[in-house]
Amino acid sequence: MKYNPSEIEAKWQKKWEEEGSYWALDFDKRPKFYLLIEFPYPSGAGLHVGHVRSWSAMDAYGRKKRMEGYNVLYPIGWDAFGLPAENYAIKMGVHPSKIVPQNIARFKKQCKSLGLSFDWSREINTTDPKYYKWTQWIFLKFFEKGLAYRADVPVNWCPVCKTNLADEEVLADGAHERCGQKTQKRMQKQWLLKITAYADRLLEDLETVDYSSKIATQQVNWIGRKEGINILYEIEGRSEKIVCFTTRPDTNFGATFVVLAPEHPFVASLLNSKLKKMKAYVEKAKKKSAIERIAEGRKKTGVFTGLYCINQLNNYKMPLFISDFVLMEFGTGAVVGVPGHDKRDFEFAKKFNLPIPRVVVGKDGDTSEITQKEQVQEEKGTMINSDFLNGLDISEATKRIMDYLEEKGWGKRTVTYHMRDWVFSRQHYWGEPIPIIHCNQPTGGCGAVPVPEKKLPVELPYLEKYQPSGTGESPLALALDWVDVKCPKCGGRARRETDTMPNWAGSNWYYVRYLDPHNDKTLADKKKMDYWLPVDLYQGGFEHTTLHLLYSRFVYKFLYDVGAVPNPEPYAKRRSHGIVLGPDGRKMSKSFDNVVNPEDVVGKFGADTLRVYEMFMGPFDQTIAWSEEGVEGCFRFLKRVWRLSLTKVTQEKTPLSLLAKLNRTIKKVGQDIESLKFNTAVASMMEFTNEWQSNKKGLNKADLKNFLLTLAPFAPHMTEELWQQIRRFEVRGEKLELDSLNSRNRDIRRSNFQDQDNPISHFKDSVFESIHLQPWPVYDPKFLQEEEAMIVIQVNGKVRDGIKIKSEKLKIKNEIEKMAKKSERVRKYLEGKKVKQVVYVEGKIMNFVTEQ
RNA sequence: GCCGCGGUGGUGGAAUGGUAGACACGAAGGCCUUAAGAGCCUUUGUUCCAAAAGAACGUGAGAGUUCGACUCUCUCUCGCGGCACCA
C-alpha cells in the first residue's frame, strides 16, 4: 500500500476533531502542563512556515507530554487588532471588521491541515467585544491605581499622510516606511502606563524564572538599571541650582564644564535675556527630531550661557553650556563634563577649547596630559589629581565620594533606568477604545472619568471612514454621536476618549483568558487560574523579548497586585526559536519572491513531512534558510518508515543489535525533545530506520509499536494510521481491550461536557484507540550497555588504533595496556621511545605519552 | 561605540575536554525498469601516492592551559541581531 499523506491526514484530522482528542481538562488529577505559543496576528498573507516551525515543534513537545501522562493545555487564538490589519484593510478597500474574520478563517483552515493538537474549544479573538471587555477592565484598574496617566509625549508625525506613526513605521533615516517622506517629532497628549514603577521587580524576579540567558540578558539591558548620584551645582550669581546625574562621581575633580539640554527648564528662564545667539540655537535644536540629531553624527554643537557653575570639591568655575547632545529624557537633562574620561565630553571640550585634566591612571600607567587621544572611562584605574581620592581604586573612590557628597548635602544617590513608561494610546481606528470619558465643563468638570465597570465593554463603533483623520486625532473623533456622552460622575456633557489601545493590549494577558474563554464575570475563574497558572513553557520569537515579553510580565505583576491572578510571574520558562529565511537566505518577503507557503508544501508532501522537516532543518533556536531538497529528504524518510512498517516486520524476536539501537533511539529522542533539540531527535530516528532497513531480519511487532510511538509526536498522522493497521490486525477475532488511559480520558470528557452542546457529548464508543493516548515508550537500560566497547588508542594524542574490549574488562587498565602494545599500528610509534605516562579513560581512550 | 550570538566538508548541520564531519542534501557510479518515476546498493573533508596500504593536514586567525581542545582562557578578525550622543 502506497503512502498517501493527503488521504491519511484528512481522515485523522477529522477523527481527532470529532472526538475532541486534544481538549485539556480543567482540574484533572493528572499533573498539568500549560504549553503556550505566541498567538498569531492573522495577516492577509496567511500562515508562514515560521509559524509552522515553532508550533509543530511545540506540538511534538506537547504530544510527548500527554503520552507521559500530563494534562496538557496547548491553546490557540487570534491577536487581530492593530495597525497591520487596518493598513491591510485600507489597501484592500474592505472594512477591517470584514477582513479580519476572513483572514482568521484562512489561518484556521491552514492550522487544521497541519494536525496541530490545539485545544480549539478555547479559541479566543482579541477583537471580540467579550474579550476586549476585559482588556478595557485591566486598563481601568491601571487608571484606578494611578498607573495609567496622560502626558505630552513626542510622536512621529508624517506631514504627507497626516498621521501619527509607530516607531516601527519610521525608517532609520527618519522617513516614513510607506511614503518615504521625512517624519517629524511633535508633542501630543498620550496615555502612558507606568511600567517604570515595576522596573526593579521586573529585574529581580528574573531570578525566579527559567528564561534562556540570552533572553534574560536582553531584558536586563532593556530595563537598564544604573546606580549613580545627582550632584547639585550652584550657579555663580544666581539662586537656581543645576542637578547633574552621573554614574562616575569619582572623576568629579576632573569636571570642567556643565551642559544643559535645550529643553531643560532653566534654559527657558534664560531665553528672556537678550542673548540672541542662544535663543536661536535653542529654537533650532528643539525643532530637530531625535533622528536628525543623530543624523548629524557626533559633531558637537552648543552655546555658552555666560554663566558658571561652581564645583564645590575644588571651587573650579565650570562654564555652563547648552547643547543638543544632552537629552532631556535621560537623567536630569544636565550633564557635568569630565572630558578626560568621557568620549563625548572630550569631543565637546575640544570643540570649545576647554581644559582636559586627567584624574584616573589606567592600566597603561600613562599620566601625561590628555590632549590628542580620546580618553574613555576605564574599568580599572587609580585616582590622581583628586585631593583626598588620590591613590584609590576607582570603585573605592566612587563609594568614598558618594558618601562625601551626601554628607555635605551636595548630592543624593539615585537610580535611573533605560526603560521608559509605556505609551499606551494610538490615534487609529482598529483597536480597543480606551474606556475613559473626559468631562471638561467651563467651570472645571470632573476631568478624566473611568467608564463604570458595568458599562463595559465600550464597543468600537462601526465607521465607514476608519482611515486616519488627518488631524492626528483618532478617526473615532469623527463619530460625533459616539463621542458625545454624559459624564458618569456629574451627568454633564462630556466626551469619550477617542484614542485606542496599541496592539500589545490584547496580547498582554491572553494566556489567562484561555483558561476560561467564555467567562463574562471576570478575566477567568479563580480556581481555573489556580490550577493552570503559571504557563509552564512559553515559546516564541526572539524579537518579542523586550516588547511583548517584558511588558506582559509587567501587566501580569500588576494583576497580581490587584488580586486578579494567583502568582507574580506568568511564564515559568521561556525559550525562543530562530527565524525561517527564504531559500535564498534572505528574509521571506513578497518583494524578493522567496516566500514559501506551507499550504503548498502540505499539498505536495503532506503535513507530517512539513513538520518533520521544520524540526530537522537545524537547531530550533537558530535562523535557518528553507531548502526544498531538505523537505524531500524528510519525505523519503517517512516513506521508508511506512514501507518498512508494512514489510519488514516479523513474529520472531528482533535481532539484538537492532533492539539495542531501538532502545538507544527511544532514550535519545525523549531527552532531545525535553531539551528542544528536535533536529538531533529526528536524525537519531533516521539512523534507526537506516539500520532497520539494512538489517536482514526486521522488527518484531511489539518493537515496531514502540518505534511508532517514538515517532508519533513528530508525524502524528502517519503513525496513527500505521498504529490502526497493526491494531486491526491484532484484535481480529479477539476481544478488544481499550487502553485504560484512553477510556479514562473519555469518561472524564463525557462527564465534563455532558450539558454542553459540543462534539464530545455525542461521543460514541468505537474501536478507535489513538496512538497519542498510549504511554511514551520506556527504554530498557539493559540494552543500552554494549557487550564490547571500542577503546581508542592514541600515541601522544594522535589516534593510532582502536581495540575492542569486553565490557566486564574495561576496568582492568593493565590488560588493556598489554593488548594495545601488541597492536602493530601502535608498536610502530612506540618503538625506541620511552613511555612516560599512560592515560586511560575508562571505556573510551588510552593515550601513551612518550619522551620525544 | 555598547550588549548578545555565531564562524566546522560543495550545502544545512552533528559532536558531557576523548576516533571531528552523525543525520540530511547535493554529486559520482551501479542495480531494478521497455522507459520514466520511485526504490535499493556503493563512494564522497583536503593533500601526497597509478592504486592500495599508509601518511600529513584540517573546525575564522594567532597564542595559552592540557596526555589530549570544535569544546576551556586570552588577543584579533569577520558575520548576524539588539540598543545607541543613556551622562
Side-chain angles (χ1 to χ4, degrees):
Chain A
M1 198 167 61
K2 215 185 143 194
Y3 173 47
N4 182 350
S6 59
E7 192 181 300
I8 293 171
E9 289 173 2
K11 172 172 137 196
W12 290 111
Q13 282 159 16
K14 187 163 166 265
K15 188 87 176 170
W16 294 333
E17 180 151 4
E18 280 169 7
E19 313 224 341
S21 300
Y22 303 118
W23 289 26
L25 307 176
D26 294 328
F27 313 122
D28 189 67
K29 280 194 197 73
R30 288 173 297 163
K32 67 100 183 176
F33 196 92
Y34 189 173
L35 177 62
L36 185 68
I37 45 110
E38 288 169 350
F39 68 158
Y41 161 71
S43 74
L47 207 61
H48 187 274
V49 286
H51 291 125
V52 181
R53 186 181 189 196
S54 164
W55 300 351
S56 52
M58 285 307 106
D59 191 61
Y61 189 93
R63 283 175 184 273
K64 177 189 168 245
K65 281 273 173 211
R66 287 194 192 95
M67 293 167 82
E68 285 177 326
Y70 285 88
N71 180 26
V72 173
L73 170 57
Y74 188 40
I76 179 88
W78 315 104
D79 184 17
F81 266 137
L83 198 54
E86 186 174 303
N87 284 340
Y88 183 70
I90 291 171
K91 194 173 124 203
M92 305 302 282
V94 186
H95 198 271
S97 64
K98 290 215 172 62
I99 281 269
V100 163
Q102 282 171 20
N103 287 351
I104 288 178
R106 178 160 176 223
F107 258 72
K108 202 165 166 176
K109 198 175 145 235
Q110 288 180 316
C111 278
K112 291 201 168 176
S113 77
L114 293 168
L116 297 166
S117 60
F118 289 132
D119 180 345
W120 287 98
S121 73
R122 295 167 185 263
E123 181 182 351
I124 57 172
N125 175 351
T126 56
T127 64
D128 181 349
K130 286 183 191 133
Y131 179 92
Y132 69 69
K133 170 179 177 178
W134 298 104
T135 309
Q136 290 174 334
W137 181 86
I138 293 170
F139 184 89
L140 287 184
K141 284 286 159 195
F142 272 113
F143 184 76
E144 186 187 311
K145 300 290 172 190
L147 293 174
Y149 65 98
R150 289 230 294 171
D152 276 314
V153 171
V155 294
N156 304 302
W157 168 255
C158 177
V160 177
C161 307
K162 295 203 184 337
T163 179
N164 291 335
L165 304 173
D167 285 340
E168 296 92 301
E169 296 173 283
V170 180
L171 301 174
D173 61 353
H176 181 196
E177 67 167 358
R178 260 190 306 150
C179 73
Q181 290 296 314
K182 275 258 177 211
T183 60
Q184 297 168 353
K185 284 269 179 196
R186 66 178 203 180
M187 300 304 272
Q188 194 163 337
K189 270 238 179 330
Q190 302 278 356
W191 284 96
L192 287 100
L193 294 188
K194 213 174 178 71
I195 187 172
T196 51
Y198 281 70
D200 280 330
R201 281 167 68 190
L202 288 167
L203 197 61
E204 284 158 19
D205 288 356
L206 279 175
E207 300 199 355
T208 68
V209 291
D210 173 13
Y211 290 5
S212 60
S213 61
K214 213 175 153 181
I215 295 170
T217 310
Q218 205 176 312
Q219 291 213 345
V220 169
N221 290 345
W222 184 265
I223 295 167
R225 185 179 201 276
K226 277 193 188 140
E227 289 180 20
I229 188 163
N230 280 338
I231 306 180
L232 233 80
Y233 294 107
E234 289 188 12
I235 306 167
E236 197 182 42
R238 309 266 306 209
S239 58
E240 294 99 330
K241 288 176 184 174
I242 298 296
V243 181
C244 296
F245 174 74
T246 177
T247 56
R248 291 292 307 275
D250 53 312
T251 61
N252 215 247
F253 280 96
T256 55
F257 58 94
V258 172
V259 191
L260 301 175
E263 298 85 358
H264 194 282
F266 182 64
V267 172
S269 72
L270 290 178
L271 292 181
N272 302 326
S273 71
K274 53 260 164 207
L275 287 164
K276 270 192 197 153
K277 205 173 134 197
M278 193 164 85
K279 209 167 171 177
Y281 179 83
V282 170
E283 274 168 16
K284 197 177 149 206
K286 277 190 180 172
K287 268 188 204 149
K288 283 190 223 170
S289 66
I291 293 147
E292 277 174 308
R293 285 194 190 182
I294 295 164
E296 280 178 6
R298 277 151 222 276
K299 270 187 203 151
K300 296 292 175 289
T301 60
V303 61
F304 179 48
T305 59
L307 298 170
Y308 291 87
C309 289
I310 308 298
N311 188 351
Q312 305 94 320
L313 292 170
N314 51 11
N315 287 317
Y316 186 89
K317 277 172 66 178
M318 303 182 288
L320 180 63
F321 287 84
I322 300 168
S323 173
D324 65 6
F325 88 83
V326 177
L327 308 172
M328 194 59 219
E329 308 90 77
F330 190 80
T332 58
V335 171
V336 55
V338 183
H341 303 282
D342 181 278
K343 203 176 156 189
R344 292 171 317 246
D345 294 352
F346 176 83
E347 287 163 355
F348 193 82
K350 285 295 252 187
K351 167 99 186 178
F352 291 94
N353 290 318
L354 299 161
I356 308 173
R358 177 193 286 277
V359 290
V360 178
V361 184
K363 59 182 167 188
D364 58 355
D366 186 1
T367 56
S368 63
E369 207 177 316
I370 300 157
T371 45
Q372 291 307 315
K373 60 177 174 179
E374 294 173 356
Q375 192 72 26
V376 282
Q377 296 183 349
E378 296 88 353
E379 278 167 29
K380 279 182 188 161
T382 310
M383 306 306 302
I384 55 166
N385 302 328
S386 298
D387 198 341
F388 63 92
L389 298 178
N390 284 341
L392 293 176
D393 175 75
I394 56 170
S395 59
E396 180 57 34
T398 305
K399 264 182 236 149
R400 186 77 70 84
I401 196 152
M402 281 196 183
D403 290 342
Y404 182 77
L405 290 169
E406 285 196 323
E407 262 170 47
K408 288 273 184 183
W410 295 340
K412 194 168 188 310
R413 279 182 166 89
T414 181
V415 176
T416 63
Y417 300 90
H418 168 264
M419 188 170 66
R420 294 283 116 80
D421 276 343
W422 184 9
V423 178
F424 206 70
S425 49
R426 301 287 183 271
Q427 292 71 49
H428 281 281
Y429 171 67
W430 195 239
E432 302 89 345
I434 292 177
I436 292 288
I437 290 165
H438 297 287
C439 173
N440 296 316
Q441 311 297 335
T443 49
C446 314
V449 180
V451 172
E453 216 178 295
K454 278 177 285 181
K455 296 271 178 107
L456 294 183
V458 177
E459 286 205 34
L460 182 67
Y462 183 88
L463 291 189
E464 270 310 325
K465 266 204 68 167
Y466 56 85
Q467 290 81 354
S469 66
T471 61
E473 264 191 315
S474 159
L476 288 178
L478 303 173
L480 296 176
D481 49 347
W482 181 80
V483 168
D484 207 11
V485 284
K486 280 191 179 137
C487 170
K489 234 184 198 171
C490 68
R493 271 195 73 181
R495 227 175 152 264
R496 274 190 199 283
E497 171 64 55
T498 58
D499 282 0
T500 52
M501 299 188 206
N503 53 337
W504 310 105
S507 59
N508 277 327
W509 68 282
Y510 71 105
Y511 52 90
V512 174
R513 192 64 177 171
Y514 283 139
L515 309 181
D516 200 3
H518 307 296
N519 195 321
D520 58 3
K521 303 232 158 45
T522 167
L523 294 180
D525 179 74
K526 196 173 172 308
K527 279 187 191 146
K528 289 180 182 173
M529 289 196 280
D530 284 341
Y531 178 79
W532 285 109
L533 289 170
V535 171
D536 294 280
L537 173 58
Y538 190 19
Q539 171 62 45
F542 191 65
E543 69 275 19
H544 295 132
T545 300
T546 47
L547 291 171
H548 165 65
L549 192 64
L550 188 64
Y551 290 23
S552 65
R553 283 180 63 216
F554 157 57
V555 171
Y556 193 83
K557 280 184 178 306
F558 170 74
L559 289 174
Y560 174 67
D561 288 349
V562 299
V565 297
N567 38 30
E569 280 287 340
Y571 320 117
K573 181 169 172 176
R574 166 78 180 194
R575 293 291 182 274
S576 45
H577 58 257
I579 303 164
V580 181
L581 302 174
D584 56 359
R586 292 187 292 185
K587 204 173 169 184
M588 280 192 195
S589 154
K590 267 186 201 156
S591 55
F592 296 143
D593 194 28
N594 63 351
V595 177
V596 177
N597 184 346
E599 247 170 332
D600 298 341
V601 183
V602 171
K604 203 163 162 191
F605 301 102
D608 283 340
T609 296
L610 174 62
R611 297 165 55 116
V612 169
Y613 169 66
E614 294 222 30
M615 284 184 258
F616 181 64
M617 67 194 304
F620 187 52
D621 57 0
Q622 205 169 295
T623 298
I624 301 252
W626 186 267
S627 152
E628 173 87 8
E629 293 83 5
V631 181
E632 279 182 53
C634 292
F635 188 46
R636 262 175 235 159
F637 162 61
L638 290 184
K639 279 192 290 192
R640 183 181 269 201
V641 172
W642 177 266
R643 200 183 59 244
L644 293 176
S645 298
L646 298 176
T647 58
K648 216 156 181 180
V649 183
T650 84
Q651 300 288 353
E652 295 164 43
K653 278 190 177 167
T654 305
L656 203 61
S657 63
L658 191 58
L659 195 57
K661 183 75 183 169
L662 175 64
N663 279 273
R664 281 198 297 273
T665 304
I666 292 169
K667 183 182 180 201
K668 173 138 180 76
V669 171
Q671 287 172 341
D672 281 355
I673 291 177
E674 204 49 56
S675 49
L676 312 184
K677 287 159 81 176
F678 303 99
N679 54 333
T680 49
V682 174
S684 69
M685 287 186 285
M686 287 173 169
E687 260 181 77
F688 171 76
T689 310
N690 291 346
E691 276 199 30
W692 182 10
Q693 162 91 37
S694 55
N695 190 285
K696 286 196 184 75
K697 291 190 170 166
L699 270 185
N700 175 277
K701 205 169 54 191
D703 296 321
L704 168 63
K705 283 169 79 176
N706 276 336
F707 177 65
L708 292 178
L709 287 169
T710 313
L711 180 59
F714 300 81
H717 309 88
M718 186 186 89
T719 48
E720 182 84 276
E721 177 66 25
L722 288 169
W723 185 263
Q724 293 306 318
Q725 298 202 11
I726 294 165
R727 286 298 290 157
R728 227 170 283 147
F729 176 76
E730 280 178 345
V731 300
R732 200 182 298 148
E734 303 167 23
K735 197 182 160 220
L736 178 68
E737 279 184 43
L738 281 173
D739 176 80
S740 59
L741 180 64
N742 190 21
S743 54
R744 203 180 122 244
N745 268 346
R746 187 179 301 171
D747 289 343
I748 296 165
R749 288 207 183 107
R750 221 182 278 145
S751 61
N752 267 15
F753 299 111
Q754 244 164 11
D755 306 326
Q756 289 172 33
D757 183 28
N758 67 52
I760 279 175
S761 57
H762 309 300
F763 197 101
K764 290 196 175 63
D765 280 325
S766 75
V767 292
F768 174 59
E769 174 201 9
S770 175
I771 188 170
H772 306 290
L773 292 167
Q774 301 303 310
W776 179 251
V778 180
Y779 61 88
D780 186 339
K782 85 174 181 226
F783 291 110
L784 301 180
Q785 277 184 345
E786 308 216 26
E787 294 209 330
E788 287 184 328
M790 175 74 85
I791 304 293
V792 173
I793 310 298
Q794 298 182 334
V795 178
N796 292 324
K798 295 210 169 180
V799 178
R800 296 306 176 187
D801 203 357
I803 53 175
K804 281 187 178 169
I805 306 284
K806 286 243 159 48
S807 294
E808 62 269 23
K809 291 194 173 169
L810 283 175
K811 282 208 183 339
I812 314 167
K813 184 180 169 185
N814 283 345
E815 197 159 323
I816 297 166
E817 195 175 325
K818 262 186 227 161
M819 287 175 73
K821 280 181 173 165
K822 275 185 204 156
S823 154
E824 192 55 41
R825 302 165 71 172
V826 173
R827 227 163 42 188
K828 208 162 97 183
Y829 292 92
L830 291 179
E831 215 135 86
K833 285 182 179 153
K834 203 178 155 197
V835 175
K836 206 164 58 174
Q837 190 189 351
V838 180
V839 181
Y840 175 59
V841 181
E842 198 185 308
K844 281 187 177 159
I845 204 155
M846 177 166 280
N847 189 11
F848 293 95
V849 187
T850 68
E851 280 175 352
Q852 291 306 315

